Amino acid sequence: MIVLGIESSCDDTGAAIYDSERGLLANGLYSQVELHARFGGVVPELASRDHIRKTMPLVRQVIADAGIGQDEIEGVAYTAGPGLIGALLVGAAIGRGLAMGWGVPAMGVHHMEGHLLAPMLEPQPPTFPFVALLVSGGHTQLVRVDGIGRYELLGESLDDAAGEAFDKVGKMLGLPYPGGPHVAELARQGRIGQFEFPRPMTNRPGLDFSFSGLKTFARTTIADRTQDGVLAEQTRADIARAFEEAVVATLVIKCRRALEQTGLRSLVIAGGVSANQRLRQVLEENLAKINSKLFYARPELCTDNGAMIAYAGCKRLLAGQRQDLVISARPRWDLESLPEIHASSA
């Protein structure tokens, strides 16, 4: 089955063509980083308008890149939530309209399910069951995954997600938008041990997260080291390193705890923060000690993209699921509410 996937949940426009027989045929992305950079964050109205401008040209591009005709597309998948409601409605309206015009079924996809399944697009994908750490801009969750649609939430952030904390600390350090990747880059120049940041909620049982206090600790540290409005460059790097080490250590402790509690030996990390090289390195080192294995997607499939939506949508379309003739989107959507796909259907 050949499926077109459309992603428009926030500030990236993604489109891709996935073939259930041949795999990913084409993947394209338009980033809105420059559009929102001058505001220091995503402006929802501007994001929606840019999706309107960029989605159809990108759809045409990936169809051409895949070397197929539009008459060969057998289904359309689009992100139906969670995300910014205006941005979601753009992708939903275009995706549902294309499916109707082409006479093919449509499927609204859960954004976080897309992230969770993105490692399945790799040459050596994980097998069920596994524990998944979902770390994107707005989500930090640990999920037990027994199959597509068989999800059990083990823990989540009670306030700021890890990605949000990275971006906010980046802004505190005067780094360009989005701050997260720039914090990770600056941290490479930092010295270990110059600052000691807390590992929130690791000294108590459970698998929930909290990064709000860590963000506040970073703000206080920056203020204490700033003189006459200037923070020394090496100090900035040292703070970035200490902050990144604290976030990584917290995530690793919780992941190990989740594997031990479930008795599983495979961990998937997905979402934008899963591209962080330090997180991958420390997780791999720690999982090797407990005879467990780490799985993740290539960097371009960690951030929001159409490929993960095309894959997740294809699996649900092959299982016989279809979207009604309505254009709907959900800014909030419980991952555990998704219907199960039986192994024989997938």
Side-chain angles (χ1 to χ4, degrees):
M1 182 181 222
I2 299 178
V3 175
L4 164 68
I6 297 174
E7 156 61 22
S8 67
S9 64
C10 191
D11 60 340
D12 285 324
T13 309
I17 302 293
Y18 176 79
D19 185 340
S20 58
E21 299 295 328
R22 294 178 288 168
L24 185 62
L25 303 184
N27 185 38
L29 184 73
Y30 279 132
S31 173
Q32 297 182 5
V33 166
E34 292 185 7
L35 176 66
H36 300 286
R38 55 179 169 157
F39 302 104
V42 178
V43 180
E45 178 66 18
L46 294 181
S48 302
R49 294 186 181 199
D50 210 43
H51 286 307
I52 293 172
R53 288 190 292 266
K54 292 179 176 177
T55 301
M56 279 310 300
L58 191 60
V59 167
R60 297 187 188 99
Q61 176 190 315
V62 295
I63 291 174
D65 291 347
I68 63 172
Q70 67 180 37
D71 59 325
E72 296 180 68
I73 295 174
E74 300 168 272
V76 178
Y78 57 85
T79 304
L84 300 176
I85 187 61
L88 289 168
L89 283 171
V90 173
I94 292 174
R96 196 66 197 80
L98 287 174
M100 186 183 299
W102 291 337
V104 299
M107 189 69 231
V109 173
H110 193 293
H111 180 74
M112 296 311 295
E113 180 173 66
H115 275 307
L116 188 154
L117 297 177
M120 298 295 186
L121 291 164
E122 296 303 315
Q124 294 183 324
T127 56
F128 303 115
F130 55 78
V131 171
L133 171 66
L134 302 179
V135 273
S136 67
H139 297 81
T140 302
Q141 297 176 322
L142 277 166
V143 182
R144 179 185 173 117
V145 181
D146 288 296
I148 299 178
R150 297 177 62 191
Y151 307 131
E152 178 189 354
L153 182 64
L154 303 174
E156 62 184 340
S157 179
L158 304 178
D159 40 57
D160 284 0
E164 289 175 319
F166 261 106
D167 287 342
K168 289 175 181 177
V169 170
K171 191 172 184 178
M172 295 175 199
L173 290 170
L175 299 174
Y177 168 84
H182 294 286
V183 171
E185 183 64 29
L186 182 61
R188 295 181 183 180
Q189 305 167 33
R191 298 169 295 180
I192 297 177
Q194 296 302 303
F195 297 96
E196 186 64 31
F197 279 40
R199 277 61 170 158
M201 295 186 71
T202 57
N203 60 349
R204 65 183 74 174
L207 297 172
D208 287 330
F209 302 90
S210 173
F211 294 103
S212 180
L214 188 59
K215 178 190 64 181
T216 302
F217 192 94
R219 179 185 291 112
T220 302
T221 304
I222 292 168
D224 289 346
R225 298 304 188 279
T226 299
Q227 297 182 349
D228 299 324
V230 177
L231 184 66
E233 189 60 29
Q234 184 59 58
T235 303
R236 290 171 76 240
D238 292 342
I239 292 173
R241 179 65 179 265
F243 172 77
E244 182 184 57
E245 290 290 334
V247 173
V248 167
T250 300
L251 294 173
V252 170
I253 289 169
K254 296 288 186 171
C255 285
R256 284 193 58 165
R257 190 177 294 175
L259 289 171
E260 290 165 359
Q261 289 186 10
T262 59
L264 300 178
R265 288 291 173 263
S266 294
L267 176 73
V268 163
I269 55 172
V273 182
S274 71
N276 183 283
Q277 293 301 309
R278 183 61 179 160
L279 176 60
R280 293 184 177 189
Q281 176 189 346
V282 177
L283 269 174
E284 286 179 337
E285 292 171 355
N286 274 266
L287 295 192
K289 298 175 183 177
I290 58 173
N291 194 30
S292 298
K293 192 170 182 181
L294 180 66
F295 297 87
Y296 46 76
R298 71 200 81 163
E300 61 266 30
L301 299 186
C302 291
T303 55
D304 296 349
N305 63 87
M308 67 183 191
I309 302 303
Y311 177 84
C314 183
K315 289 297 182 181
R316 293 196 170 275
L317 288 169
L318 285 172
Q321 297 182 19
R322 301 289 186 271
Q323 197 71 44
D324 293 334
L325 288 174
V326 294
I327 298 171
S328 62
R330 305 184 190 184
R332 296 182 181 275
W333 193 357
D334 183 3
L335 186 65
E336 291 179 292
S337 69
L338 297 178
E340 176 184 347
I341 292 180
H342 297 288
S344 58
S345 301

